[in-house]
Amino acid sequence: MKKTLSVVLTSAMAFSMFSAVAFGKTSADFTDLKDLDAATKAKFDAMISAEIFDGVSDTTFGLKEEMNRAQFAKVAALIMGLEVNKDLKTSSFTDVSVTDPANGYALPYIEALKTANVTDGYAEGQYNPAGKVTKEQLATFLVRVLGKDAEAKALTGTDKTVSGWAQGYVAEALALKVLANNADGTFGGTSNAIRELLVTGAYEAKQQYVPAGQVSLTEAKATGVQQVTVKFNKPVDTAKAVVALTKGTTNVATTAKFADDKKSVVLTLTNVKVTEGNYTATLSGLDATSVAKATATFTAENEKVSKLSFVNASDVVPQVKDFVIQLKAENQYGENATLNGGNYSVFGYTGTITRNADNGYLELKVDTSDKAKYPTEIGVLPITVSLNQSAVTASKTFKIGTEQRVSKIELGKATYENGKTALSSEGDKVTYDITRYDQYGYKVVEDASASITPVITPADMNILDKKVDDNKVVVTVATGKKVDKTGDYTVTYYEGGASATATVSLKAGSVPTKLEFGAYNGVVAEGDTNAKYIPITAYDADGKTLSAQAIVDNASSINFTVSGATVATGTDVTSNGIVKYGENKGKLKLSSIQAKERGVVYLYMSIYNANVQTQAQLPLTVVAARTPESVVLSGSEPTTKALVDATTTFKVLVKDQYGETLDAVPTGYEVNVNVDGASSAVTVDSAAQAAGDNFKTDLKAKLNDKEIKFTADSLGKTTVKVAITKGGQEVAPALKRTVEVVNNTDLTYKAKEISDVFAITTNEVAKTGDFANGSVSKFAKAVDVTVTDKSGNTVAVPSSLKAVKTAYTSDSNIATVTTDGKVLGQRVGTATITAVVLKANGETQDFTYTVNVKADAPTVSTLTADSNATYSATKTVAQMLNVKAVDNYGTEYKFNTDTNVNEVSKYKEFLGVQYIISDVQGGGTVQYDPSTDKITTSGTVNEFVVKTIASNGKTTTTLVTK
């Protein structure tokens, strides 16, 4: 009884594997495949039709079920086209048996894989057919199926989700694109594979699999008047294979298109037709040892017409002038013959045959408008057309009908301009071809009347202009109109008693349908006169956030009500206070605050029209008027030790009680910069400050983030103090920085490390001109020293007191050095640089530097520019945008204000920095001149965007405002 049951189950399993083929199923028959995308469904259909896969039931494929090793054995054997002995009853593996009710069907496939050396089992003498297949095991199977075992073993990987032994196989499977990583970038190799992955992986492997054995050309023949088809006995590597065509000893120019199965190629002749004679197709590009037969020959004949037939829609010809009677002339390949009309004669009517190059038909134009000659419904028009000097002919007697009248109309497919798929903004246009048929099914000869105006429903679509022009329906968004509602509408064209409809799509892509105030993170204080920029967020009908420019463009539709504050006016804002240009574009600008402390600034905005109803509000509580509360350091700390004539600098910011930078000093307050101690000079932003000097008003222009420069002139300690006072008294902790001017004894000098330098002789450009001049080349790096006191504190030293007196190189072929210590790489290698430096105490000391010279060409490692800039016609783009590029050697390139050299442009051969201009606002034009690295404008230009891009793809974007 058990044996009988086992046989029944085995038979049932075998039957289930092929039932889809037997009943002609596709992916549409399985409920769990219905939601797959079209591309994936096509893969499933291909594998099902090839008898490689089927479902786990009549209606379920088992997409997410885990697969086992028996299932994979069958798939792999069928992909490889292995010889499978289905009568085999015994296995070389002890755990594989034909009586196994679940996996016995796989025995012959498992044996076929072993014979082909694809698998040697799971363990000694065992295959483990019921064992689950992990993703990394599946990767290994597929790689071995494709014969890429050696390549996989040569690879390594670092994916922590993959076992060590499988790293190379997973890497190769990913490279071959038979499998892919998970969304998180890992492979998940130890997780079990599901049937979906088996299908898609097997499909990709099947496309790449090339059976063993040599390639031979099995056939070549003409399959068209300009087409030759060549077949192979097995798939070829289409990336390498080249098939050429010759006629006798003359090469014939062709283009090639390989079939998806890679077992044939269609050669299309580019300049000539296939003519009588002997042709040879020759295969090249493959390893000669893999090709058994590289040529195939055939004999061709000239094109000939084998059949003529009339193709008109009816046997009745209407009474009309310039009516066209069409015929199809077929050649021996079933194509429309290419012989021109002069090869044919007409009998029964005096006329000339022409060939329509667009559709390949022969055409005879007749005039049946003479009712006396062609009376209505009783007249006839006998036509015979024959191929000259041949027996190929076609005859037909047409009846004469009535005059043409429109009985049917068709509107063609919508054609939108500029690649659009909907009408969305002013001037957008869509057209529909009009095809009109008469009572006999023929196209109407006369053009449509231009006076006919199409109808669009619903009737309130008054933003559209509709007309008929050049036998087309033309629909355009009218001047001054905006599409503020997304939807599909019906275009109806009427003529006579016929009508036709088509769909026109409208998309409110840049019109706000919902408004929100964004988060304002600033402080609104009593008496504020500095501008406040309130963020606005707008969404279109699809919920997409609109750009700042779109908000500006639609500003006139937004209504504002503001209390407790003044909305800004001026040329930089729209009539309702929305900023038109610059970094705050699209925000509501408030110029001042009138509400008192604990009061509220209330903002309300809305849009109300036939299609849009939206509103938003924002209350802002007013806090106490701003007062200066602290002075903080901006940037790095200054050096606390210095020699006479050395300089040290720092910057400060004055903050109010809310932690915001204070741009102006309120009435009654002062900010003082004082110097206590040894007599030394202190300057703020190049304006000398003596003890007691103060800033009473404009902090933004005169103190905040401006350089405070201390220059030592005598020994001793000096304290620079920045304090806030009121009525002569300090009202907040002052910021103090003390510099001790020390003598030049007990100082320690240490050589700074020199990073890698570029070998200029490896590049033809780099070894010429200033690039090769170590004194000025950016490829050169200066030797330098650090100076510290006995406590390890850095000491600021005048450059003259650590200057290089002399410098030497251990190998001038590898690196050269200038007398002032500039090191320039010459060729790849390592050199030692020795420099003698003058110390502050008048002594000299020698230092050694190890220099590593590399051949890697300088490329941009980081690229930065200001996000916002103001236009200048006199500045270079690099200077205007503050472009800075740092290369892979750590060297920075910019517009150097000290030397007035545009380093970004000077080193363009290496950095490849270019500028792309877009989003010009205002109606004028903007042009970039690479020869001067400057931008010029013409007409009215308010702002534009400059994208800075390096040759290796690094980019940055700047909004430039005029």
Side-chain angles (χ1 to χ4, degrees), residues 105-378:
Y105 72 92
L107 184 151
Y109 301 105
I110 293 171
E111 292 303 312
L113 287 187
K114 183 179 181 183
T115 302
N117 293 320
V118 175
T119 182
D120 53 6
Y122 181 78
E124 184 67 31
Q126 295 182 328
Y127 181 78
N128 189 21
K132 299 298 183 183
V133 178
T134 64
K135 288 182 65 178
E136 61 191 26
Q137 290 171 344
L138 176 59
T140 304
F141 273 135
L142 293 175
V143 167
R144 287 177 174 172
V145 164
L146 293 175
K148 301 291 185 179
D149 193 71
E151 289 86 345
K153 288 180 178 178
L155 297 176
T156 59
T158 59
D159 190 336
K160 295 181 179 179
T161 68
V162 177
S163 302
W165 67 267
Q167 291 282 357
Y169 288 101
V170 170
E172 181 66 11
L174 294 174
L176 293 171
K177 297 182 180 180
V178 294
L179 295 174
N181 277 325
N182 298 324
D184 63 0
T186 64
F187 186 72
T190 57
S191 61
N192 289 339
I194 59 176
R195 280 168 57 85
E196 178 182 15
L197 196 62
L198 177 59
V199 174
T200 56
Y203 175 85
E204 298 299 338
K206 188 174 185 295
Q207 306 311 302
Q208 299 182 39
Y209 180 70
V210 178
Q214 292 180 306
V215 176
S216 292
L217 271 65
T218 58
E219 182 184 44
K221 67 177 182 179
T223 51
V225 72
Q226 284 188 286
Q227 180 175 291
V228 172
T229 299
V230 181
K231 295 182 179 181
F232 316 106
N233 66 325
K234 57 179 288 185
V236 298
D237 185 345
T238 57
K240 297 179 180 178
V242 177
V243 180
L245 185 67
T246 56
K247 183 180 182 183
T249 59
T250 304
N251 294 326
V252 181
T254 64
T255 58
K257 180 176 177 58
F258 285 89
D260 291 340
D261 64 4
K262 304 178 184 180
K263 296 177 68 174
S264 65
V265 62
V266 173
L267 304 178
T268 301
L269 284 65
T270 56
N271 300 318
V272 297
K273 300 177 185 179
V274 174
T275 56
E276 184 178 10
N278 296 321
Y279 288 81
T280 301
T282 304
L283 172 66
S284 63
L286 303 179
D287 184 350
T289 60
S290 68
V291 179
K293 184 173 181 291
T295 61
T297 61
F298 66 95
T299 301
E301 59 183 357
N302 292 328
E303 182 184 24
K304 59 184 179 181
V305 177
S306 59
K307 182 180 178 181
L308 273 175
S309 57
F310 288 90
V311 295
N312 288 65
S314 171
D315 290 341
V316 180
V317 174
Q319 290 177 325
V320 64
K321 188 176 182 179
D322 294 333
F323 181 78
V324 175
I325 293 175
Q326 292 184 318
L327 298 95
K328 181 177 182 180
E330 292 184 47
N331 62 20
Q332 65 267 45
Y333 309 110
E335 303 170 322
N336 285 336
T338 61
L339 277 67
N340 60 39
N343 292 283
Y344 302 89
S345 299
V346 181
F347 303 94
Y349 185 87
T350 303
T352 302
I353 294 287
T354 60
R355 184 176 182 275
N356 187 318
D358 293 331
N359 57 30
Y361 287 157
L362 301 177
E363 295 184 345
L364 172 65
K365 189 175 291 186
V366 300
D367 183 358
T368 57
S369 61
D370 187 346
K371 294 182 180 180
K373 186 175 182 180
Y374 299 104
T376 302
E377 296 184 346
I378 61 173

